[in-house]
Structures are given as structure tokens and as C-alpha cells.
Amino acid sequence: MSAAADTPDAGTGLGMTRRREMLLRALATRHGRKKYGLCLCEGMRCCRDLYLSAPELIAFMVCADDLVDNFPGRDVIRIPRDGFRKFSATVASPGIMAVARRPQPVAGAPRDPFVLVLDRVADPGNFGTIIRTARAVGLREIWYTAGAADPFSDKVIRAAMASQFVIGMREFPDLEAVAAALRQYGYEHIYRTDVNAGADCFTAASLFERTAIVMGSEAHGAGPIAGATALTIPMPGDAESLNVAQAATVILFEYVRRSQLRNGAATAI
Amino acid sequence: MSAAADTPDAGTGLGMTRRREMLLRALATRHGRKKYGLCLCEGMRCCRDLYLSAPELIAFMVCADDLVDNFPGRDVIRIPRDGFRKFSATVASPGIMAVARRPQPVAGAPRDPFVLVLDRVADPGNFGTIIRTARAVGLREIWYTAGAADPFSDKVIRAAMASQFVIGMREFPDLEAVAAALRQYGYEHIYRTDVNAGADCFTAASLFERTAIVMGSEAHGAGPIAGATALTIPMPGDAESLNVAQAATVILFEYVRRSQLRNGAATAI
């Protein structure tokens, strides 16, 4: 076996090989994605977004015959539409996927005025939706703890519309490690969302000024953090709780609203 | 065949019968739900919520052996856990479901300060999440147009955590019929969300005072409505759009924030 053969996407020809088929199947697993440092991005909208925002991360594309012309400059393997059944994660494959490199992990001081921390958000749809929404409000990174869904699994990528290739994803073993990093960078004030009581997210002062806001999964909530202030989203209706992606959306857009106010672009209502 | 036999949940015994099995299978389809005026609510959390908020709507429950004691006062059919495979909509059935009556359609003047209108939101997860979030902010009804997912399909019920049994759901054939009803009840000002331009949702005056806010699916947007004002959610990041459930959440909690302000319970920030 040559050295080149150990890199599954290496080689001069761009046809589908048995080795590449095995790679695609491996990338459906967390272990496989870790081993190869690659992941699968499936569907036209996700692939377009990845192509437009981070084309350098695309190792190669796999396209059905009729979709090959959408990605100039990228290596494309062309296969019949029904050939996707073997490795597509979706029931009815959209006939297009990108094999993408995982972006370099983010390091150094946080680049946003506040840090959004997700503690063990295991549902891929919720995790992905939060990543996508964080990008929409202009955040440059998200912190998360082990126990979360793999942000580069196909489901999280689809829910995030490939936003995890653009926004930095920082993983920590647990909330203690998060708190230590926050202290190190001078993000002193930590808020932890609480469904029952706490400071009101619409009126708490300095909520987004060198702070962190920690949210947990709906089932478990965020774990304990020494010295954290409880933060709550007012819910006048009779629901017990909000989906975590909805809760994150409320917080993220409260950040947008306050930023607008501070920039004087808008009048307070 | 007796007359009673035509009502599939009629009969004195509460064992699983062939007729009831056929009913459960029929309720997996839109046609079956319409024919019988019944629907399926699956999973412990959904069933608990339905039981606590609208027990009178439960025709009967189907429970695995170990879960039968949670619903006193309701008729319960007890079956082995692996018996759910035949009619469960989920891959790994939680072993509990309620067969529920569809609530009476809502009529008359709207009961909320503003009307949230969903135009052809076909994705069941998004539709259900919006219903659940609307309930959390205290809305009493949602209007929607034909072309939406069936709000009483199992997926929408699970995403909504059975909130559609509590909040009124009003269906209209199209946006023209919606506009006519709004005029009739004196809800004159119609906003229509637009991803590109329009009044800013955080600063537009009188946004929730006898108005309607129309949102469409992400793929299609809301259809045209004569005289509607465009309403936009500011998005400082570089995302193209928001998931419709996230967009609805931003609008719904802006309503909460302004209500708090008006009630003087909070200080403006």
C-alpha cells in the first residue's frame, strides 16, 4: 500500500472508488469523522452555503449527474442519482454532498462581546438551529461542552445550514473548564438560564458586556456553575418551558436589539 | 353491523380489538384523522400535558404495561411494549399514546391583541414549535392557511408538546380569506415578514395593537396581501435567512417584552 492510499481522498482519478465509498460510510459515524478529520455536508442549500463561504474546506463533492455544474473549481465525483442510497444520511437523498474538512479549532480570547455557552445540548436539530441563529446575529463563535451532539454530524450541519464551518466552535470537557477559560479572558460575569426564576433577560443590565450566557438542554438544563447569576425568559403563557433553540433565539435577538439601541440606529420602544 | 360498531372507540371492553388497531393505523393519515375527528398524541410528556390541560379530549389511552397508572379517570388499553410497533409513528415507541378528539374550531372575534398568521408552513417541526412558543407567550389562538401541515398530525403534536389542544387553531383557505376576516373584526393593520427590508420589528410602533403579523415558510415566504406593511427582523450576521420557527420566536417575545414595558413591570433597556 502506498502512502497516498492512506488518505482516502487522495489519488488522481475522480471516479467513485471502493476506498472513497468506504470513506463516505465512515463519515456517517462520529468515530470516522474524528479519524479522517472530515465530515459530510448534504443537500443543495447546505453545499451552496459551504461553497460560497468556505470553499477551501471542500475536499471533494459527490453529485448526481444533473447537479455537477454548480461548483466550479471544486473536485466533483459524478454518480447516478440512485447511487447515493449507499451512503446518504437522508431517506430521499438530494443527490448532492460535500466531503468537507473540519475547520481549525478556535483559540485565544473570545471575539464577541459575550460568549454563548451550550451545556450538553444533545439534540442535533436544536444544536444546529442555535449555531445557525448565532451566525445570523453576527456571533463569531460558540462554546459547548462534551455531551453535546457532534457539531459536524450530518444532522447538525443540515440544521445549521453549514454555519459551523463559518462560526468558530470551541469544545470544553465541562462547565468548570468553561468557567476557568472565561476567567482567564476577563469574562467575569456568568449567567445561567433558569426556567423558573432569575434576572429578566429583557431588563438585566450589562447582559452582553464581557459576560457568558450558559444554556442547557431542555431535559437537563445547564449544570451548576459557581457564582453564576440566574437568568430567565419571561413566559406569560402556561407552558412549562421553551425548546432550547427558541430560548437561545430570544437571548440572541435581545442582543441584536440592544446593539441597535446602543448604535443609535433605532428608537427605544 | 350495529350502529355502535361504527364508532371505533365505542364498546364496553377496553382490550385492544382489531377494530381499534385499524383506527390507530388510520389516525396516522390526514384522511383518517378527518374521518374520525380523532388524532394520536404520543410520548409521556405530550400525553401528560394533554391529560393535565384538556383531559376531556382524551377518548382513550394506549399504554405499555409499566405506564398504565399515570392517567387516573381515563380509559386505558394496556398492551405489551412491543405491541406498539404496529401503529407507533416513532422508531422507538415511548410505549404510550392518547387517542384524542380534535378540539372544536375557534370562531368569533380574535381573543389576542394581535393575530399571528402562518401562511402554508408545511414543515411539521416548525409548525409545532411555533404553536408551542405561541402558547408560552400567552396567545390564545393561531391562524393558518391551507397548505400547512395538519396541526393534529403526530409530528406537529410532538413538536408542539400538545399545545394545539389548548390554543385555538383557525384554518383559512388562503390569505384573502384571512384578510377578509381581519377586516371584519377591525384588525386593520397587516404586517408581512420580509427577510430583506421593512419596518424593524424592534422599533415599529403599535406592532401588536389590533394588527396581524403574517409569516410564511422559509422556502416560499408569505404570499402577497394587498395593503400589507413589510416587517423585518434585523440580522447583523451574514446568514441569508432565519428558520421560520426562530423568526416567529423573535416576534412573539418582542410582544412579551413590550407587554412587560406597558405594564410597568420592567425598566426599558
Side-chain angles (χ1 to χ4, degrees), chain B residues 40-247:
Chain B
L40 288 182
C41 177
E42 198 164 6
M44 183 54 92
R45 236 189 110 177
C46 261
C47 287
R48 284 290 305 167
D49 209 274
L50 177 60
Y51 178 76
L52 292 173
S53 54
E56 72 286 359
L57 292 177
I58 299 179
F60 61 91
M61 312 276 316
V62 185
C63 295
D65 291 327
D66 50 324
L67 298 173
V68 291
D69 296 328
N70 289 282
F71 305 92
R74 295 297 103 194
D75 289 338
V76 176
I77 294 176
R78 176 182 187 138
I79 65 172
R81 195 168 267 270
D82 64 3
F84 280 85
R85 265 179 307 188
K86 286 186 204 162
F87 35 75
S88 170
T90 57
V91 179
S93 169
I96 179 142
M97 55 171 67
V99 174
R101 295 179 193 94
R102 288 178 80 125
Q104 290 295 316
V106 181
R111 293 171 294 166
D112 297 311
F114 77 104
V115 178
L116 180 66
V117 181
L118 303 177
D119 187 32
R120 294 163 301 157
V121 172
D123 180 83
N126 282 334
F127 196 16
T129 300
I130 296 171
I131 296 170
R132 180 179 172 198
T133 308
R135 181 192 185 187
V137 306
L139 285 198
R140 275 163 288 192
E141 55 185 79
I142 284 182
W143 294 19
Y144 67 101
T145 59
D150 176 0
F152 292 92
S153 75
D154 61 282
K155 275 190 191 163
V156 181
I157 290 175
R158 267 179 286 142
M161 289 281 175
S163 296
Q164 51 275 83
F165 294 97
V166 179
I167 203 171
M169 302 295 305
R170 277 201 222 202
E171 185 177 0
F172 293 84
D174 52 36
L175 286 179
E176 252 181 70
V178 166
L182 288 169
R183 267 194 308 275
Q184 182 191 342
Y185 295 118
Y187 281 58
E188 296 290 348
H189 205 141
I190 304 180
Y191 289 94
R192 180 181 169 280
T193 52
D194 187 312
V195 74
N196 296 310
D200 183 315
C201 71
F202 295 132
T203 56
S206 310
L207 186 52
F208 303 105
E209 290 153 37
R210 292 187 83 78
T211 57
I213 299 177
V214 185
M215 316 190 72
S217 72
E218 198 178 334
H220 307 292
I225 316 163
T229 303
L231 181 72
T232 201
I233 296 172
M235 264 200 305
D238 66 349
E240 265 179 49
S241 62
L242 281 179
N243 181 303
V244 63
Q246 310 320 110

Side-chain angles (χ1 to χ4, degrees), chain A residues 71-250:
Chain A
F71 304 92
R74 295 297 104 194
D75 288 340
V76 176
I77 294 178
R78 176 184 187 138
I79 65 171
R81 194 167 267 270
D82 63 5
F84 280 84
R85 266 178 308 188
K86 285 186 204 163
F87 34 76
S88 170
T90 57
V91 179
S93 169
I96 178 142
M97 55 171 66
V99 173
R101 295 179 193 95
R102 286 178 82 125
Q104 290 296 315
V106 181
R111 294 170 293 166
D112 298 310
F114 77 104
V115 178
L116 180 66
V117 182
L118 303 177
D119 185 33
R120 294 163 301 155
V121 172
D123 180 83
N126 282 336
F127 196 17
T129 300
I130 296 171
I131 297 169
R132 180 178 173 199
T133 308
R135 180 192 186 188
V137 306
L139 285 199
R140 274 162 289 191
E141 56 185 76
I142 284 182
W143 293 20
Y144 67 101
T145 59
D150 176 1
F152 292 93
S153 75
D154 61 281
K155 275 190 191 162
V156 181
I157 291 176
R158 268 179 286 140
M161 289 280 174
S163 296
Q164 50 276 84
F165 295 97
V166 178
I167 204 170
M169 302 294 307
R170 279 202 221 202
E171 186 175 359
F172 293 84
D174 52 36
L175 286 178
E176 253 181 69
V178 166
L182 289 169
R183 269 193 307 275
Q184 181 190 345
Y185 295 118
Y187 281 59
E188 296 290 348
H189 205 140
I190 303 180
Y191 289 94
R192 181 181 169 279
T193 53
D194 186 311
V195 74
N196 296 309
D200 182 315
C201 70
F202 296 131
T203 56
S206 310
L207 186 52
F208 304 106
E209 289 152 37
R210 293 186 83 79
T211 58
I213 299 177
V214 185
M215 316 189 71
S217 72
E218 197 178 336
H220 307 291
I225 315 163
T229 303
L231 181 71
T232 201
I233 296 172
M235 264 201 305
D238 65 349
E240 265 179 50
S241 62
L242 280 179
N243 181 303
V244 62
Q246 309 321 112
T249 298
V250 174

